[in-house]
Amino acid sequence: MQKQKLRFKTPDEVEAVFYEAFVHCDSDVMAGLWADQDVTCVHPGAAVIIKYDAIISSWMIIFDDAQGTNMQYTVINRVTTDDIAVHTTAEEMLYAGKVEALVLATNVYRKFDDGWLMIGHHGSVVGDWSVKGETLQ
Amino acid sequence: MQKQKLRFKTPDEVEAVFYEAFVHCDSDVMAGLWADQDVTCVHPGAAVIIKYDAIISSWMIIFDDAQGTNMQYTVINRVTTDDIAVHTTAEEMLYAGKVEALVLATNVYRKFDDGWLMIGHHGSVVGDWSVKGETLQ
């Protein structure tokens, strides 16, 4: 299942393509943006997955059940160092034009010789829409 | 509410004290191990909190309702660079000696001049206990 990796110059580029792949149910693109090792993925309510092949398989199963996902995301916080970036995002799942569910995600990116790749995704459904502490920027 | 920061030489040291504070409902210790800025905290099912004061307040509210929390944690994965560490942990909440709930957490630590501090905690309740991809080490 090893795919040719995509090349990204910034964590934001990986994130944009990650959500594009999510929306369009594109498992080939998803497979190209995850690193091979030291990866973890937690889908909402589900067990943690810690190997590349198992993570890509999990996305393929999610994508098999859907033609596409209507969602939009907002980056709430970014912490970036030379070789690791940790983003907190709010994912709004839309149905018939209305927000049906809110998922908070912690996305982790790492810089490799050929660019940035995803190494972590932790999504969880939350019931409260607001950002506590200050107004969402 | 700004507290004197504790000093930690490694991410594992912060994590051990974080869970000690959690178990013993010790908000003073909790306040001493979080960094001041670029911090995020997601309690299971709740809104994301993005400021130090609001994060410590949230832990105080959790601790006010409890005398102590019977739990144990297992580190499932660690990614460590010079200045950021991302850990995935399984938190087993115990009641009357039995596991009552499983929370998966993504914990993020950052190295500052005086040592490592916590900058991120994202906990979510999951229904599946196993680690997918390989046996939990």
Side-chain angles (χ1 to χ4, degrees):
Chain A
M1 192 189 293
Q2 301 296 319
K3 300 286 293 185
Q4 182 70 33
K5 295 299 181 217
L6 300 171
R7 287 170 181 251
F8 300 101
K9 292 180 181 173
T10 67
D12 279 342
E13 281 186 20
V14 191
E15 193 153 73
V17 174
F18 167 74
Y19 282 114
E20 279 290 305
F22 198 158
V23 166
H24 296 295
C25 297
D26 190 330
S27 55
D28 283 340
V29 171
M30 188 61 81
L33 60 82
W34 278 85
D36 290 327
Q37 295 186 320
D38 273 338
V39 286
T40 59
C41 184
V42 180
H43 297 295
V48 59
I49 312 169
I50 59 170
K51 289 291 178 183
Y52 174 86
D53 286 356
I55 288 171
I56 303 308
S57 293
S58 76
W59 285 105
M60 291 173 72
I61 290 167
I62 290 170
F63 293 162
D64 276 350
D65 289 339
Q67 297 299 311
T69 303
N70 197 357
M71 60 95 78
Q72 58 195 23
Y73 75 100
T74 305
V75 182
I76 294 171
N77 195 64
R78 292 176 178 84
V79 173
T80 309
T81 65
D82 288 344
D83 43 15
I84 293 272
V86 182
H87 291 192
T88 305
T89 67
E91 306 171 353
E92 292 180 315
M93 304 299 173
L94 306 170
Y95 183 75
K98 293 185 179 176
V99 177
E100 196 178 48
L102 177 67
V103 171
L104 286 174
T106 300
N107 294 327
V108 187
Y109 307 97
R110 186 167 190 171
K111 191 176 185 182
F112 296 89
D113 289 343
D114 289 335
W116 290 83
L117 293 170
M118 181 168 253
I119 62 165
H121 173 71
H122 180 174
S124 65
V125 175
V126 297
D128 192 331
W129 301 82
S130 59
V131 176
K132 306 296 186 189
E134 70 174 8
T135 305
L136 175 60
Q137 300 295 314
Chain B
M1 194 190 288
Q2 300 297 319
K3 300 287 293 186
Q4 182 69 33
K5 296 299 181 217
L6 301 171
R7 288 170 180 251
F8 301 101
K9 292 181 181 172
T10 67
D12 280 341
E13 280 185 22
V14 191
E15 193 154 72
V17 174
F18 167 74
Y19 283 114
E20 279 290 306
F22 198 159
V23 165
H24 296 294
C25 297
D26 190 329
S27 55
D28 283 340
V29 172
M30 189 61 81
L33 59 83
W34 278 86
D36 290 326
Q37 294 187 320
D38 273 339
V39 286
T40 58
C41 185
V42 180
H43 296 296
V48 58
I49 311 168
I50 60 170
K51 290 289 179 183
Y52 174 87
D53 285 356
I55 288 170
I56 304 308
S57 293
S58 75
W59 285 105
M60 292 173 73
I61 290 167
I62 290 170
F63 294 161
D64 276 349
D65 288 339
Q67 297 299 310
T69 303
N70 196 358
M71 60 95 77
Q72 57 194 24
Y73 76 100
T74 304
V75 182
I76 294 171
N77 196 64
R78 291 176 178 84
V79 173
T80 309
T81 65
D82 288 345
D83 43 16
I84 294 274
V86 182
H87 291 192
T88 304
T89 66
E91 305 171 354
E92 291 181 316
M93 303 299 173
L94 306 170
Y95 183 74
K98 293 184 180 177
V99 177
E100 194 178 48
L102 176 67
V103 171
L104 286 175
T106 299
N107 295 326
V108 187
Y109 308 97
R110 186 166 190 170
K111 191 176 185 182
F112 296 89
D113 289 345
D114 290 334
W116 290 82
L117 293 170
M118 182 168 252
I119 62 165
H121 173 70
H122 179 173
S124 65
V125 174
V126 298
D128 191 332
W129 300 81
S130 59
V131 176
K132 306 295 186 188
E134 70 174 7
T135 304
L136 175 60
Q137 298 296 313

